[in-house]
C-alpha cells in the first residue's frame, strides 16, 4: 500500500489520491458529493475508458474507486484528473438547487391557522360568560363575537352589493344577528368557529391553481460543447447558434435539435418519443434535444435551439393546457344556493305569524350547510392522508372527486404498462457444443461494462442465471452492431444478424431451438415470437444460438387492466409513441380491443386523443411517465404518473405513485370511491336531523339552543364519520403489527 499526494496545482478542485494497491486506486473527489449529474456522467465516462476494469462512486463519502490495468497509479491519477476537468466545465461545482417537484399538502406555519384565532377566542369567552356571570367577561365575549363575525358580515355585504346575490354568508349573518339580539353568545360563536374550521381544511387540501412546469434548460441540459475556432468550448445551451457544430459525449443529453455529421452513438429517446429501444445515430440522422447519448460520441449541426426544439414544443403545449381550480367542489355552496330563499321565506312567515324571533333564528340556524362544510373537507383530508399511507400522493380533493367518476383509463405503453428497459427473456441453443450456462457466461462476459441497454440486459441475464463473469480479452465493440471478444480462449460474437454475417458467420434456419431452463416466465415463450427481438451468439465462427429480448410488461399490468375492465367497467385505451404493430401486440396480451390502441402518437396527438375522449362525455384518466406524456397528462381529467417518471410528468400529474407500482392505481380508485360513499353518508347524517328540526321549528317551535345542538351535533357527527377510514386503517395496521 502507498499513499500519494496529488500534484501541486493552483486549482483547489483537484482530487486527492488516498489509497492504492495493485490494480485499484481510491480517490477523494469533493465535487461528486453534491453534484449528482457530475457523479452520474463521471461513472459512465469512466466505464468507457479502456484502462478501467470497473469503478464505484460513493457520493456521500466523496469517494471514487477505480479498478485499472495500469502498472503505475500516477498514470491513473493523471488520466482521471484530465477526464474530471472536462466534466467540471460541463457540470459546475455548485449547481442551482432544484425546485421541489412534489408538493405535499402541509399544515406548516402558525399564520395559516390565524383565521381560527378570533372565533375560538369568542367561543371560549362565550362559554366562560355563561358559566360565570360577570359583566366585564360578557362585554369581552360580545366584543370578541363582533370581531369574529366581521369577516362574515364583510363577505355578506360583498355578495349583496357587488355580486348582487344572497349567498350562504348572508344567511349565516342573519342567523348571527337574531341569535345575538336574544343574548345568545355560544351559538353564534360556535357556528363561526365550525365554518372557519371547514373552510381552512378545504383550503389545506387544495393544490395551487398555478401550474408549474420544469425549466426548459433542466429538460434539455444547461450546457453544450461547441466547436469554435477549431476548439471545443462549453457554453450555455440556449446560446448555441444555428449552423454551429455541437459535440456530445457519452452520458450527456443532446442540447439542441440537429443532424449528425460525424461519429456514431446509441441514443435513448424514450422520454421524448416513447420508443422503447434506443436508436443508432450515424451521419445524416436527425437527433433531438433532451435525448440521452448512451454510448458513442457525435458531432451534429445545430438546426433548432432552446424554445424552438421539439422538447420545447412539448413544454409549450403543456403550458397552454387548461388549468383547473383543483379545490374540491364546494357542495355546501351549491346546497346553500338552493336553500337560501326557502329558508328566508319560511323564517319570515314564522316570525310574522308568531312574532317569535327565536323560532325564526332556529330556522335560519338549521341551514343544512354547516355540517356539509365541515364534514366534506374532513372526509377529503382523511382520504388524502389515507392515500399517502398507501404510497400514493394525491394532489387535491378535486382529484379524488374526479377519480371516483373516471370511466375511461388511457395508458402510455413504454415505462407505464411495460418496465421501460430491455430484458433478455431466454436463450435458444442450436447445438449442444456448449451448455446453456457456458453460452450465457461467454455472452455476458463479452458484453460486460458496455453502456448499451442490450449489453446491460445480457449481463443482468447472466447474473440472474448465476454465472461468473470471465476476463474479456482483445475485444472490439461496433456501435449499434455488436461485440467481438475473446473470452477464456473462445472468440465470441454477440450482435445483430448483419454483424455476424459481416464476420463470416453463416446464419441459417433457426427452427428447432432448444430453450432449456433459461426462459423466464415474463411471457410464455414456446419458441420464437414476434413479440421479441433477437440477438445472435456465435463462438469460434459458428452460430450457437439466439437470445430473445424485449421491454417486458410490468408484472402487475395484466391484473390492473383486467380489474379496471371487469370490476370497474372502465374503457381502457393504449396510447404510445411506439410503432402501431408493437402497440397492438402489447394490447393483445392485455386484452385491450384493437380499436382502442393508438400508436406512433406524438405529444400533440396524445393530447388530442385525450381531449376528444373528454369532449365525447368521458371522464378520462391518463397514466404516463415521460416528457412526451406530459401534454396528455395536462388535458386529462385525472393525470397519473410515477415517482421515477420524468420531472415534467411528475410535476404535471394529479396523482403520483410513490412506490412506482401500477397496482396502486386500483387502490387510489378504491379510496376515491369509498370517499364518495362516505360523503353521501355524511349528507344524509346532516340533512335528515336538520330537516326534522326544521319541521319542528316551523310548527310547534324549537328553542334556538336545541336547533344549535341539532345543527352543530350533526356537523360533529359527520366530521367524526369522515375520520372513520383513518381509524380503521390504524386499527388494521396495529393488528398486522
Amino acid at each position: 500500500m502507498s499513499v500519494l499526494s496529488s500534484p501541486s496545482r493552483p486549482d483547489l478542485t483537484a482530487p486527492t489520491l488516498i489509497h492504492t494497491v495493485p490494480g485499484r486506486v481510491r480517490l477523494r473527489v469533493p465535487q461528486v458529493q453534491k453534484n449528482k449529474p457530475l457523479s452520474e456522467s463521471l461513472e459512465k465516462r469512466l466505464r468507457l475508458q479502456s484502462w478501467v476494469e470497473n469503478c464505484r462512486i460513493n457520493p456521500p463519502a466523496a469517494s471514487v474507486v477505480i479498478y485499472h490495468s495500469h502498472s503505475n497509479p500516477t498514470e491513473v491519477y493523471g488520466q482521471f484528473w484530465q477526464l474530471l476537468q472536462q466534466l467540471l466545465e460541463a457540470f459546475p461545482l455548485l449547481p442551482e438547487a432544484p425546485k421541489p417537484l412534489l408538493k405535499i399538502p402541509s399544515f406548516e406555519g402558525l399564520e395559516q391557522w390565524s383565521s381560527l384565532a378570533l372565533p375560538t377566542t369568542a367561543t371560549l369567552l362565550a362559554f366562560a360568560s355563561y358559566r360565570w356571570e360577570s359583566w366585564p367577561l360578557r362585554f369581552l365575549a360580545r366584543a370578541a363575537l363582533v370581531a369574529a363575525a366581521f369577516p362574515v358580515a364583510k363577505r355578506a355585504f360583498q355578495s349583496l352589493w357587488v355580486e348582487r346575490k344572497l349567498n350562504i354568508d348572508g344567511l349565516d349573518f342573519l342567523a348571527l344577528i337574531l341569535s345575538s339580539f336574544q343574548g345568545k353568545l355560544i351559538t353564534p360563536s360556535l357556528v363561526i368557529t365550525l365554518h372557519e374550521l371547514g373552510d381552512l381544511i378545504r383550503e389545506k387540501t387544495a393544490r395551487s391553481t398555478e401550474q408549474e412546469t420544469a425549466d426548459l434548460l433542466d429538460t434539455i441540459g444547461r450546457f453544450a460543447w461547441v466547436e469554435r475556432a477549431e476548439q471545443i468550448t462549453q457554453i450555455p445551451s440556449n446560446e448555441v447558434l444555428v449552423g454551429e457544430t455541437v459535440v456530445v459525449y457519452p452520458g450527456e443529453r443532446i442540447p439542441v435539435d440537429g443532424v449528425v455529421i460525424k461519429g456514431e452513438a446509441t441514443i435513448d429517446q424514450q422520454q421524448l418519443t416513447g420508443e422503447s429501444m434506443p436508436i443508432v445515430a450515424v451521419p445524416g440522422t436527425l437527433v433531438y434535444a433532451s435525448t440521452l447519448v448512451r454510448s458513442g460520441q457525435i458531432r451534429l449541426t445545430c438546426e433548432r435551439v432552446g424554445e424552438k426544439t421539439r422538447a420545447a414544443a412539448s413544454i409549450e403545449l403543456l403550458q397552454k393546457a387548461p388549468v383547473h381550480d383543483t379545490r374540491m367542489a364546494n357542495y355546501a355552496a351549491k346546497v346553500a344556493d338552493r336553500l337560501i330563499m326557502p329558508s328566508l321565506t319560511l323564517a319570515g312567515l314564522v316570525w310574522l305569524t308568531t312574532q317569535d324571533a327565536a323560532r325564526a333564528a332556529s330556522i335560519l340556524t338549521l341551514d343544512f350547510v354547516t355540517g356539509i362544510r365541515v364534514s366534506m373537507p374532513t372526509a377529503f383530508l382523511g382520504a388524502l392522508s389515507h392515500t399517502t399511507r398507501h404510497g400514493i400522493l394525491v394532489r387535491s380533493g378535486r382529484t379524488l372527486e374526479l377519480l371516483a367518476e373516471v370511466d375511461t383509463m388511457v395508458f402510455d405503453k413504454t415505462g407505464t404498462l411495460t418496465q421501460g428497459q430491455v430484458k433478455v427473456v431466454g436463450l435458444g441453443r442450436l447445438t449442444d457444443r456448449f451448455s446453456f450456462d457456458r453460452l450465457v457466461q461467454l455472452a455476458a462476459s463479452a458484453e460486460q461494462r458496455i453502456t448499451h441497454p442490450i449489453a446491460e440486459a445480457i449481463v443482468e441475464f447472466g447474473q440472474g442465471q448465476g454465472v461468473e463473469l470471465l476476463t474479456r480479452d482483445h475485444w472490439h465493440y461496433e456501435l449499434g452492431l455488436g461485440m467481438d471478444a475473446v473470452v477464456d480462449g473462445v472468440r465470441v460474437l454477440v450482435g445483430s444478424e448483419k454483424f455476424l454475417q459481416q464476420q463470416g458467420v453463416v446464419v441459417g434456419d433457426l427452427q428447432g431451438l432448444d430453450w432449456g431452463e433459461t426462459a423466464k416466465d415474463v411471457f410464455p415463450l414456446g419458441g420464437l415470437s414476434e413479440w421479441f427481438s433477437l440477438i445472435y451468439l456465435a463462438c469460434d465462427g459458428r452460430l450457437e444460438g439466439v437470445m430473445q429480448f424485449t421491454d417486458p410488461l410490468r408484472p402487475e399490468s395484466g391484473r390492473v387492466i383486467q380489474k379496471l375492465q371487469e370490476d370497474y367497467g372502465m374503457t381502457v385505451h393504449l396510447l404510445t409513441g411506439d410503432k402501431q404493430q408493437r402497440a397492438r401486440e402489447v394490447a393483445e396480451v392485455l386484452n385491450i380491443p384493437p380499436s382502442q390502441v393508438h400508436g406512433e402518437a406524438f405529444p400533440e396527438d396524445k393530447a388530442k386523443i385525450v381531449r376528444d375522449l373528454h369532449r365525447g362525455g368521458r371522464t378520462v384518466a391518463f397514466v404516463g411517465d415521460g416528457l412526451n406524456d406530459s401534454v396528455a397528462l395536462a388535458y386529462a381529467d385525472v393525470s397519473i404518473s410515477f415517482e421515477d417518471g420524468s420531472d415534467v410528468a411528475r410535476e404535471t400529474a394529479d396523482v403520483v405513485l410513490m412506490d412506482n407500482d401500477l397496482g396502486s392505481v386500483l387502490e387510489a380508485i378504491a379510496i376515491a370511491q369509498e370517499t364518495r360513499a362516505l360523503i353521501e353518508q355524511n349528507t344524509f347524517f346532516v340533512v335528515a336531523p336538520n330537516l326534522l328540526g326544521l319541521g319542528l321549528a316551523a310548527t310547534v317551535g324549537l328553542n334556538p339552543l336545541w336547533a344549535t345542538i341539532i345543527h352543530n351535533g350533526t356537523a360533529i357527527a359527520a366530521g367524526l364519520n369522515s375520520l372513520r377510514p383513518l381509524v380503521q386503517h390504524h386499527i388494521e395496521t396495529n393488528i398486522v403489527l
Side-chain angles (χ1 to χ4, degrees):
M1 181 188 78
S2 64
V3 178
L4 304 177
S5 60
S6 60
S8 175
R9 302 181 63 96
D11 193 336
L12 298 179
T13 62
T16 305
L17 190 53
I18 299 298
H19 178 269
T20 177
V21 295
R24 188 188 73 185
V25 298
R26 182 187 299 275
L27 302 106
R28 187 178 306 283
V29 187
Q31 295 89 343
V32 303
Q33 204 165 24
K34 297 181 179 179
N35 197 328
K36 185 178 179 182
L38 171 66
S39 174
E40 293 175 348
S41 185
L42 177 61
E43 183 172 1
K44 291 176 182 177
R45 293 285 291 273
L46 278 173
R47 292 185 183 278
L48 292 174
Q49 307 303 310
S50 59
W51 50 273
V52 175
E53 296 293 336
N54 200 359
C55 68
R56 185 175 69 253
I57 297 180
N58 183 359
S63 169
V64 177
V65 177
I66 302 175
Y67 297 86
H68 61 88
S69 58
H70 283 308
S71 58
N72 187 345
T74 56
E75 294 180 15
V76 177
Y77 180 90
Q79 290 183 277
F80 174 81
W81 178 217
Q82 191 174 24
L83 177 62
L84 181 62
Q85 282 180 302
Q86 295 175 3
L87 291 174
L88 282 173
E89 294 183 22
F91 301 98
L93 178 60
L94 297 174
E96 295 180 7
K99 297 177 181 179
L101 293 170
L102 300 180
K103 300 185 177 102
I104 302 176
S106 64
F107 290 82
E108 297 175 359
L110 292 177
E111 69 279 0
Q112 296 177 338
W113 294 89
S114 59
S115 60
L116 277 178
L118 273 175
T120 304
T121 302
T123 302
L124 292 175
L125 287 172
F127 274 108
S129 65
Y130 178 78
R131 176 67 178 82
W132 297 287
E133 290 290 340
S134 168
W135 72 264
L137 198 57
R138 195 161 185 80
F139 174 79
L140 289 175
R142 286 184 179 277
L145 176 59
V146 170
F150 180 74
V152 180
K154 184 178 179 181
R155 292 194 297 267
F157 280 106
Q158 173 80 10
S159 176
L160 278 173
W161 298 109
V162 178
E163 300 175 17
R164 301 293 181 181
K165 68 176 184 180
L166 183 64
N167 63 6
I168 185 61
D169 291 308
L171 201 65
D172 289 340
F173 188 53
L174 285 175
L176 291 175
I177 291 175
L178 289 174
S179 298
S180 300
F181 281 162
Q182 296 175 69
K184 308 291 184 183
L185 298 179
I186 296 178
T187 298
S189 300
L190 193 55
V191 167
I192 295 173
T193 302
L194 289 172
H195 285 184
E196 290 295 338
L197 179 61
D199 290 343
L200 181 64
I201 294 175
R202 186 176 69 250
E203 291 300 320
K204 293 304 170 188
T205 59
R207 181 186 178 190
S208 171
T209 58
E210 295 181 2
Q211 182 173 341
E212 295 183 9
T213 56
D215 189 287
L216 175 61
L217 295 180
D218 290 333
T219 303
I220 67 176
R222 292 186 172 273
F223 301 96
W225 297 97
V226 297
E227 193 176 80
R228 290 179 176 176
E230 299 184 354
Q231 291 187 343
I232 306 299
T233 307
Q234 178 260 322
I235 64 172
S237 59
N238 59 352
E239 295 181 7
V240 179
L241 302 178
V242 173
E244 283 195 303
T245 298
V246 178
V247 184
V248 188
Y249 297 100
E252 296 180 350
R253 292 197 177 275
I254 298 175
V256 298
D257 290 355
V259 177
V260 177
I261 57 174
K262 185 178 180 181
E264 294 184 358
T266 303
I267 299 178
D268 185 346
Q269 300 187 116
Q270 179 178 322
Q271 291 293 332
L272 180 64
T273 66
E275 289 278 358
S276 56
M277 288 298 297
I279 67 166
V280 177
V282 297
T285 303
L286 177 62
V287 293
Y288 301 104
S290 80
T291 58
L292 176 67
V293 175
R294 297 289 298 263
S295 59
Q297 178 179 321
I298 54 174
R299 276 176 162 79
L300 59 99
T301 299
C302 173
E303 292 191 346
R304 291 186 291 271
V305 182
E307 295 180 354
K308 295 183 179 180
T309 61
R310 181 168 165 183
S314 296
I315 293 179
E316 183 181 3
L317 284 171
L318 174 63
Q319 292 171 337
K320 290 179 179 178
V323 177
H324 303 286
D325 181 353
T326 55
R327 283 186 293 249
M328 66 195 66
N330 193 346
Y331 289 102
K334 294 178 181 177
V335 174
D337 287 342
R338 299 189 184 99
L339 294 178
I340 286 173
M341 291 312 298
S343 295
L344 281 175
T345 303
L346 184 59
L349 288 173
V350 168
W351 183 75
L352 288 173
T353 55
T354 65
Q355 297 296 309
D356 188 344
R359 283 196 184 188
S362 297
I363 291 171
L364 294 177
T365 299
L366 294 163
D367 60 10
F368 302 99
V369 180
T370 298
I372 299 175
R373 284 175 68 176
V374 173
S375 65
M376 182 176 293
T378 307
F380 279 114
L381 183 64
L384 293 177
S385 178
H386 196 190
T387 56
T388 302
R389 291 170 184 262
H390 282 77
I392 306 166
L393 174 62
V394 179
R395 306 277 195 177
S396 69
R398 179 181 182 273
T399 297
L400 282 173
E401 289 178 43
L402 290 173
L403 193 56
E405 299 170 5
V406 166
D407 53 28
T408 303
M409 189 75 73
V410 182
F411 289 92
D412 171 52
K413 179 182 71 67
T414 307
T416 301
L417 291 174
T418 69
Q419 296 179 26
Q421 57 184 2
V422 176
K423 285 186 179 295
V424 173
V425 293
L427 168 64
R429 190 176 62 162
L430 277 171
T431 74
D432 57 2
R433 194 157 66 106
F434 296 95
S435 67
F436 282 103
D437 285 348
R438 178 63 169 168
L439 283 178
V440 172
Q441 183 182 48
L442 292 173
S445 299
E447 295 284 6
Q448 60 186 308
R449 297 194 301 279
I450 300 298
T451 56
H452 186 283
I454 296 178
E456 292 170 349
I458 291 173
V459 173
E460 182 184 352
F461 181 68
Q463 293 171 338
Q465 297 292 324
V467 302
E468 179 184 357
L469 297 185
L470 305 175
T471 302
R472 177 182 60 190
D473 300 316
H474 312 297
W475 60 277
H476 173 67
Y477 173 59
E478 284 201 35
L479 190 66
L481 290 175
M483 168 64 73
D484 181 354
V486 175
V487 178
D488 200 18
V490 179
R491 186 189 178 199
V492 181
L493 299 174
V494 185
S496 66
E497 181 180 0
K498 177 183 177 181
F499 176 67
L500 265 67
Q501 289 174 340
Q502 288 176 350
Q503 305 301 317
V505 177
V506 177
V507 179
D509 188 8
L510 296 178
Q511 297 301 316
L513 286 167
D514 178 12
W515 294 97
E517 298 297 323
T518 66
K520 300 293 184 184
D521 56 356
V522 180
F523 298 107
L525 286 175
L528 294 172
S529 168
E530 294 182 0
W531 176 275
F532 306 108
S533 301
L534 295 179
I535 197 81
Y536 293 79
L537 171 62
C539 297
D540 291 331
R542 180 177 174 182
L543 183 66
E544 293 295 337
V546 294
M547 288 182 169
Q548 292 195 125
F549 66 90
T550 188
D551 174 13
L553 290 173
R554 291 174 180 264
E556 67 272 19
S557 292
R559 174 179 60 88
V560 170
I561 298 298
Q562 182 181 10
K563 287 187 71 67
L564 289 174
Q565 291 174 327
E566 296 180 1
D567 295 359
Y568 292 102
M570 291 189 185
T571 301
V572 176
H573 288 252
L574 176 61
L575 182 58
T576 178
D578 212 343
K579 295 179 176 59
Q580 180 71 14
Q581 179 59 31
R582 173 68 169 152
R584 287 182 180 273
E585 291 171 354
V586 175
E588 184 178 354
V589 173
L590 295 173
N591 294 318
I592 299 175
S595 61
Q596 292 158 209
V597 179
H598 317 272
E600 301 177 29
F602 288 110
E604 57 271 23
D605 301 322
K606 292 186 175 184
K608 182 179 183 301
I609 291 168
V610 170
R611 190 168 59 240
D612 289 347
L613 287 170
H614 176 76
R615 288 174 177 172
R618 296 282 185 170
T619 303
V620 183
F622 181 80
V623 190
D625 72 320
L627 172 62
N628 61 319
D629 299 320
S630 57
V631 185
L633 287 167
Y635 277 91
D637 295 292
V638 178
S639 51
I640 304 172
S641 190
F642 300 91
E643 195 276 335
D644 63 359
S646 72
D647 292 351
V648 178
R650 195 166 66 243
E651 170 60 21
T652 306
D654 299 310
V655 179
V656 181
L657 310 179
M658 303 299 291
D659 56 4
N660 298 306
D661 183 352
L662 191 62
S664 296
V665 169
L666 299 175
E667 291 189 46
I669 293 172
I671 293 172
Q673 293 189 351
E674 289 172 5
T675 304
R676 181 174 62 182
L678 191 64
I679 290 171
E680 291 172 355
Q681 289 179 8
N682 288 343
T683 303
F684 175 77
F685 289 163
V686 170
V687 171
N690 277 274
L691 191 60
L692 177 62
L694 190 61
L696 292 174
T699 54
V700 300
L702 185 68
N703 187 290
L705 182 58
W706 280 107
T708 302
I709 292 173
I710 293 173
H711 181 255
N712 294 337
T714 55
I716 293 170
L720 292 175
N721 187 52
S722 297
L723 298 176
R724 180 165 46 83
L726 286 180
V727 176
Q728 288 177 341
H729 174 78
H730 180 70
I731 293 173
E732 291 169 1
T733 302
N734 288 338
I735 291 174
V736 172
L737 294 176

mmCIF file of all heavy atoms in Angstrom, residues 612-630:
data_model
loop_
_atom_site.group_PDB
_atom_site.id
_atom_site.type_symbol
_atom_site.label_atom_id
_atom_site.label_comp_id
_atom_site.label_asym_id
_atom_site.label_seq_id
_atom_site.Cartn_x
_atom_site.Cartn_y
_atom_site.Cartn_z
ATOM 1 N N ASP A 612 -60.355 14.618 -27.136
ATOM 2 C CA ASP A 612 -61.538 14.142 -27.860
ATOM 3 C C ASP A 612 -62.368 13.191 -27.001
ATOM 4 O O ASP A 612 -63.613 13.221 -27.048
ATOM 5 C CB ASP A 612 -61.108 13.444 -29.151
ATOM 6 C CG ASP A 612 -60.580 14.425 -30.192
ATOM 7 O OD1 ASP A 612 -60.778 15.645 -30.008
ATOM 8 O OD2 ASP A 612 -59.949 13.972 -31.163
ATOM 9 N N LEU A 613 -61.715 12.340 -26.231
ATOM 10 C CA LEU A 613 -62.448 11.447 -25.333
ATOM 11 C C LEU A 613 -63.232 12.256 -24.301
ATOM 12 O O LEU A 613 -64.392 11.950 -23.990
ATOM 13 C CB LEU A 613 -61.476 10.492 -24.628
ATOM 14 C CG LEU A 613 -60.881 9.369 -25.488
ATOM 15 C CD1 LEU A 613 -59.754 8.664 -24.732
ATOM 16 C CD2 LEU A 613 -61.957 8.363 -25.867
ATOM 17 N N HIS A 614 -62.588 13.300 -23.781
ATOM 18 C CA HIS A 614 -63.248 14.161 -22.792
ATOM 19 C C HIS A 614 -64.450 14.876 -23.407
ATOM 20 O O HIS A 614 -65.528 14.947 -22.799
ATOM 21 C CB HIS A 614 -62.242 15.177 -22.248
ATOM 22 C CG HIS A 614 -62.830 16.173 -21.302
ATOM 23 N ND1 HIS A 614 -63.140 15.860 -19.996
ATOM 24 C CD2 HIS A 614 -63.191 17.471 -21.476
ATOM 25 C CE1 HIS A 614 -63.655 16.922 -19.408
ATOM 26 N NE2 HIS A 614 -63.689 17.905 -20.289
ATOM 27 N N ARG A 615 -64.275 15.398 -24.609
ATOM 28 C CA ARG A 615 -65.375 16.104 -25.274
ATOM 29 C C ARG A 615 -66.519 15.161 -25.632
ATOM 30 O O ARG A 615 -67.651 15.598 -25.816
ATOM 31 C CB ARG A 615 -64.850 16.794 -26.536
ATOM 32 C CG ARG A 615 -63.967 18.003 -26.234
ATOM 33 C CD ARG A 615 -63.346 18.564 -27.502
ATOM 34 N NE ARG A 615 -62.568 19.765 -27.219
ATOM 35 C CZ ARG A 615 -61.797 20.372 -28.116
ATOM 36 N NH1 ARG A 615 -61.716 19.905 -29.351
ATOM 37 N NH2 ARG A 615 -61.118 21.458 -27.779
ATOM 38 N N GLY A 616 -66.209 13.878 -25.727
ATOM 39 C CA GLY A 616 -67.244 12.894 -26.000
ATOM 40 C C GLY A 616 -68.039 12.500 -24.776
ATOM 41 O O GLY A 616 -68.826 11.545 -24.826
ATOM 42 N N GLY A 617 -67.824 13.209 -23.671
ATOM 43 C CA GLY A 617 -68.590 12.952 -22.455
ATOM 44 C C GLY A 617 -67.937 11.979 -21.496
ATOM 45 O O GLY A 617 -68.544 11.581 -20.499
ATOM 46 N N ARG A 618 -66.681 11.617 -21.767
ATOM 47 C CA ARG A 618 -65.970 10.690 -20.901
ATOM 48 C C ARG A 618 -65.225 11.436 -19.799
ATOM 49 O O ARG A 618 -64.776 12.571 -19.982
ATOM 50 C CB ARG A 618 -64.955 9.883 -21.715
ATOM 51 C CG ARG A 618 -65.587 8.977 -22.764
ATOM 52 C CD ARG A 618 -66.128 7.742 -22.119
ATOM 53 N NE ARG A 618 -66.635 6.772 -23.080
ATOM 54 C CZ ARG A 618 -66.978 5.534 -22.752
ATOM 55 N NH1 ARG A 618 -66.846 5.130 -21.504
ATOM 56 N NH2 ARG A 618 -67.450 4.706 -23.654
ATOM 57 N N THR A 619 -65.113 10.782 -18.637
ATOM 58 C CA THR A 619 -64.227 11.283 -17.584
ATOM 59 C C THR A 619 -62.944 10.466 -17.695
ATOM 60 O O THR A 619 -62.941 9.259 -17.452
ATOM 61 C CB THR A 619 -64.852 11.113 -16.190
ATOM 62 O OG1 THR A 619 -66.111 11.785 -16.160
ATOM 63 C CG2 THR A 619 -63.944 11.694 -15.117
ATOM 64 N N VAL A 620 -61.862 11.134 -18.102
ATOM 65 C CA VAL A 620 -60.665 10.438 -18.567
ATOM 66 C C VAL A 620 -59.525 10.560 -17.558
ATOM 67 O O VAL A 620 -59.204 11.656 -17.089
ATOM 68 C CB VAL A 620 -60.195 11.007 -19.923
ATOM 69 C CG1 VAL A 620 -58.995 10.223 -20.452
ATOM 70 C CG2 VAL A 620 -61.334 10.983 -20.930
ATOM 71 N N ALA A 621 -58.904 9.413 -17.264
ATOM 72 C CA ALA A 621 -57.650 9.394 -16.509
ATOM 73 C C ALA A 621 -56.555 8.928 -17.452
ATOM 74 O O ALA A 621 -56.755 7.987 -18.226
ATOM 75 C CB ALA A 621 -57.748 8.463 -15.305
ATOM 76 N N PHE A 622 -55.415 9.604 -17.410
ATOM 77 C CA PHE A 622 -54.273 9.219 -18.253
ATOM 78 C C PHE A 622 -53.099 8.866 -17.359
ATOM 79 O O PHE A 622 -52.786 9.584 -16.407
ATOM 80 C CB PHE A 622 -53.886 10.357 -19.198
ATOM 81 C CG PHE A 622 -52.729 10.017 -20.100
ATOM 82 C CD1 PHE A 622 -52.928 9.251 -21.234
ATOM 83 C CD2 PHE A 622 -51.439 10.444 -19.810
ATOM 84 C CE1 PHE A 622 -51.863 8.918 -22.067
ATOM 85 C CE2 PHE A 622 -50.374 10.118 -20.621
ATOM 86 C CZ PHE A 622 -50.580 9.351 -21.764
ATOM 87 N N VAL A 623 -52.437 7.738 -17.683
ATOM 88 C CA VAL A 623 -51.287 7.276 -16.909
ATOM 89 C C VAL A 623 -50.067 7.288 -17.812
ATOM 90 O O VAL A 623 -50.050 6.604 -18.844
ATOM 91 C CB VAL A 623 -51.509 5.850 -16.356
ATOM 92 C CG1 VAL A 623 -50.412 5.489 -15.370
ATOM 93 C CG2 VAL A 623 -52.877 5.726 -15.707
ATOM 94 N N GLY A 624 -49.051 8.066 -17.460
ATOM 95 C CA GLY A 624 -47.835 8.145 -18.265
ATOM 96 C C GLY A 624 -46.661 8.601 -17.429
ATOM 97 O O GLY A 624 -46.839 9.079 -16.301
ATOM 98 N N ASP A 625 -45.439 8.477 -17.986
ATOM 99 C CA ASP A 625 -44.253 8.784 -17.181
ATOM 100 C C ASP A 625 -43.212 9.625 -17.895
ATOM 101 O O ASP A 625 -42.223 10.022 -17.288
ATOM 102 C CB ASP A 625 -43.593 7.479 -16.726
ATOM 103 C CG ASP A 625 -42.906 6.742 -17.864
ATOM 104 O OD1 ASP A 625 -43.479 6.724 -18.971
ATOM 105 O OD2 ASP A 625 -41.812 6.199 -17.656
ATOM 106 N N GLY A 626 -43.391 9.918 -19.195
ATOM 107 C CA GLY A 626 -42.344 10.607 -19.941
ATOM 108 C C GLY A 626 -42.677 12.044 -20.262
ATOM 109 O O GLY A 626 -43.814 12.505 -20.089
ATOM 110 N N LEU A 627 -41.668 12.770 -20.755
ATOM 111 C CA LEU A 627 -41.887 14.138 -21.217
ATOM 112 C C LEU A 627 -42.933 14.159 -22.318
ATOM 113 O O LEU A 627 -43.767 15.064 -22.386
ATOM 114 C CB LEU A 627 -40.559 14.724 -21.732
ATOM 115 C CG LEU A 627 -40.626 16.078 -22.440
ATOM 116 C CD1 LEU A 627 -41.146 17.156 -21.501
ATOM 117 C CD2 LEU A 627 -39.262 16.454 -23.014
ATOM 118 N N ASN A 628 -42.913 13.126 -23.181
ATOM 119 C CA ASN A 628 -43.880 13.071 -24.271
ATOM 120 C C ASN A 628 -45.299 12.802 -23.789
ATOM 121 O O ASN A 628 -46.255 12.941 -24.543
ATOM 122 C CB ASN A 628 -43.471 11.997 -25.289
ATOM 123 C CG ASN A 628 -43.426 10.611 -24.669
ATOM 124 O OD1 ASN A 628 -42.971 10.430 -23.542
ATOM 125 N ND2 ASN A 628 -43.904 9.623 -25.387
ATOM 126 N N ASP A 629 -45.460 12.423 -22.521
ATOM 127 C CA ASP A 629 -46.789 12.179 -21.952
ATOM 128 C C ASP A 629 -47.355 13.404 -21.232
ATOM 129 O O ASP A 629 -48.536 13.425 -20.882
ATOM 130 C CB ASP A 629 -46.741 11.020 -20.949
ATOM 131 C CG ASP A 629 -46.293 9.725 -21.587
ATOM 132 O OD1 ASP A 629 -46.708 9.461 -22.722
ATOM 133 O OD2 ASP A 629 -45.530 8.984 -20.947
ATOM 134 N N SER A 630 -46.510 14.395 -20.980
ATOM 135 C CA SER A 630 -46.913 15.486 -20.085
ATOM 136 C C SER A 630 -48.088 16.296 -20.616
ATOM 137 O O SER A 630 -48.921 16.768 -19.846
ATOM 138 C CB SER A 630 -45.716 16.412 -19.810
ATOM 139 O OG SER A 630 -45.188 16.915 -21.025
#
